[in-house]
Amino acid sequence: MKKIFLLINAVVMVLLSTANASSEVSQQSADMAIAAAEARYGEAIHANVAWRKTHEFIAKAKVMSKEAKYQEAIDLANRAKLESDIALQESAEYDKTWQAVVVK
């Protein structure tokens, strides 16, 4: 569990540092971020570990992209992808350790 929190902290720091960087943001980069989030969310759904509101972030990202608010769309898509990454990692961690907590 401690590893998950460290991962979350590291990813948030990276996201914050890239959000502050002055780079050209385009519709193509927003669409790529949304596609990556959808793909990872699909993996989480397939593994039955998807979080409840992740799909809402993807939907909002699509709306922001259509409104030409590309940075907001990228931020939402990255958050959705991060949630799916964490859900899959939690599941993998649980699969490794569940036997240790079962009463024998």
Side-chain angles (χ1 to χ4, degrees):
M1 198 64 151
K2 186 176 180 181
K3 292 178 186 177
I4 293 171
F5 291 118
L6 291 174
L7 173 71
I8 292 170
N9 189 24
V11 172
V12 168
M13 296 302 283
V14 169
L15 290 176
L16 289 176
S17 67
T18 58
N20 292 332
S22 59
S23 62
E24 189 64 31
V25 179
S26 66
Q27 183 175 5
Q28 183 181 12
S29 59
D31 291 342
M32 288 173 49
I34 292 169
E38 286 178 325
R40 195 66 168 160
Y41 181 60
E43 292 176 27
I45 288 174
H46 184 69
N48 293 320
V49 295
W51 290 4
R52 289 183 191 171
K53 299 214 175 208
T54 304
H55 68 282
E56 292 178 13
F57 291 121
I58 294 171
K60 287 179 185 178
K62 289 179 180 179
V63 170
M64 290 293 136
S65 181
K66 287 181 183 177
E67 294 176 358
K69 297 179 180 177
Y70 302 125
Q71 187 59 52
E72 291 89 343
I74 291 170
D75 292 343
L76 288 167
N78 287 341
R79 181 168 179 181
K81 185 177 180 302
L82 174 64
E83 286 188 359
S84 296
D85 289 341
I86 294 169
L88 288 165
Q89 184 176 5
E90 284 177 339
S91 175
E93 192 78 22
Y94 177 76
D95 288 345
K96 292 178 190 174
T97 61
W98 71 269
Q99 296 168 342
V101 297
V102 174
V103 177
K104 297 176 183 176

